[in-house]
Amino acid sequence: MIKIEAIPILQDNYVWVIHNGLSAILVDPGATAPILAWLKNRGMTARAILVTHHHHDHVGGIAGLLDHASIPVYGPTRDAVKSVAVCEGELLDFPDMGLNLKVIETPGHTLDHVCYLVSEEQIDAMHLFCGDTLFSCGCGRLFEGTPAEMHASLTRLAALPGSTQIYCAHEYTLANIAFALEVEPDNPDLIARHSEALSLRRQNRPTLPVSISSERASNPFLRCHEPGPIDAASQHFNTRLNPGADTFAAIRAWKDED
Ligand code: ZN
Ligand code: FE
């Protein structure tokens, strides 16, 4: 049976591990030692590495891991590390684990950013490893892409089935909710997500994964076509914004003021 677990590393990163109790696929290993220790404690071996984008907190542990195991590293073409280049729609097959993952290109945070999707038949629901593109109640900063590119990427992810579970690369949920409440103070789904996230963090548990349907209801960056966020951002910038990419750009700029 396939399981997905988090290894917390650095300040607030999660390395997501997809495993069957024996072999482990590591998503965005930004450090080496905590991952080697985690695998050793459980008697598992690394099977492959998946990279979402080239930032150091996502790739910093790869060289060290490759000193211990000769395993494939899949990642986007502009990746700084030596890896097998992946592209939109490609299926990465791990027949020994009964698993395959589909690549989705999501430019915006970086131009080379990709997400990995495990389809429904393999584990109970769909599972999306979305790196720094989509965060719970937030999204990645636009380091390389345009607001229109990021908005298009997020729109694609938001269109996945509502039961899809998302695995973000950072524990940013509570900080994101603080900002989201500035945009939509009366959104009942956001208020409910806030109490859920507070209680999980009090128990020192990740606020992830979370479902796409929960994000569609509470994440202002996925709600740029709804009157609430459009009106709030229009008021903040004292202009009349259009639904979609226009409102997305404004909400992203508003959050960047903090
Ligand atoms: Zn990043
Ligand atoms: Fe990051």
Side-chain angles (χ1 to χ4, degrees):
M1 198 184 71
I2 298 286
K3 276 182 87 176
I4 301 169
E5 293 186 76
I7 308 177
I9 61 156
L10 308 175
Q11 213 46 5
D12 47 32
N13 281 72
Y14 291 129
V15 176
W16 292 105
V17 188
I18 312 161
H19 70 82
N20 60 6
L22 297 169
S23 304
I25 299 172
L26 308 161
V27 184
D28 284 351
T32 303
I35 296 166
L36 289 175
W38 192 96
L39 292 169
K40 193 172 175 220
N41 283 339
R42 289 157 183 81
M44 289 189 218
T45 48
R47 167 69 177 82
I49 292 170
L50 305 182
V51 176
T52 63
H53 66 293
H54 64 268
H55 284 160
H56 191 73
D57 58 315
H58 301 254
V59 301
I62 295 177
L65 289 167
L66 293 181
D67 285 343
H68 293 261
S70 111
I71 52 172
V73 181
Y74 299 96
T77 42
R78 274 164 34 86
D79 192 348
V81 296
K82 207 197 314 164
S83 61
V84 182
V86 297
C87 62
E88 173 65 35
E90 195 174 335
L91 274 184
L92 307 179
D93 203 10
F94 302 95
D96 50 315
M97 295 175 73
L99 193 69
N100 61 59
L101 293 103
K102 196 173 97 179
V103 177
I104 304 175
E105 292 181 356
T106 54
H109 176 68
T110 62
L111 289 175
D112 63 356
H113 199 295
V114 300
C115 299
Y116 299 93
L117 183 69
V118 179
S119 72
E120 188 137 40
E121 309 83 65
Q122 311 176 56
I123 326 178
D124 46 353
M126 281 192 166
H127 302 263
L128 178 75
F129 300 89
C130 50
D132 288 0
T133 293
L134 175 59
F135 294 123
S136 181
C137 298
C139 73
R141 282 178 187 266
L142 303 184
F143 286 116
E144 298 176 10
T146 64
E149 282 173 311
M150 186 63 145
H151 180 251
S153 295
L154 291 171
T155 301
R156 284 189 69 194
L157 300 184
L160 289 168
S163 59
T164 305
Q165 301 294 305
I166 65 161
Y167 300 77
C168 319
H170 290 270
E171 181 59 65
Y172 286 162
T173 309
L174 284 177
N176 287 339
I177 289 173
F179 171 74
L181 284 167
E182 285 186 51
V183 181
E184 287 194 288
D186 304 319
N187 177 340
D189 295 300
L190 177 58
I191 292 164
R193 176 69 175 140
H194 190 203
S195 20
E196 179 189 51
L198 275 174
S199 124
L200 287 166
R201 292 312 289 152
R202 267 191 221 110
Q203 303 164 61
N204 204 23
R205 288 164 59 194
T207 58
L208 305 164
V210 62
S211 71
I212 282 285
S213 64
S214 166
E215 289 303 304
R216 284 201 290 249
S218 60
N219 186 333
F221 295 100
L222 301 187
R223 297 171 56 73
C224 298
H225 52 282
E226 298 280 344
I230 299 169
D231 292 346
S234 295
Q235 203 167 28
H236 184 79
F237 289 104
N238 200 20
T239 180
R240 193 61 222 162
L241 295 163
N242 294 317
D246 201 21
T247 295
F248 172 79
I251 296 178
R252 188 59 257 183
W254 182 2
K255 186 162 194 285
D256 290 343
E257 291 167 10
D258 289 5

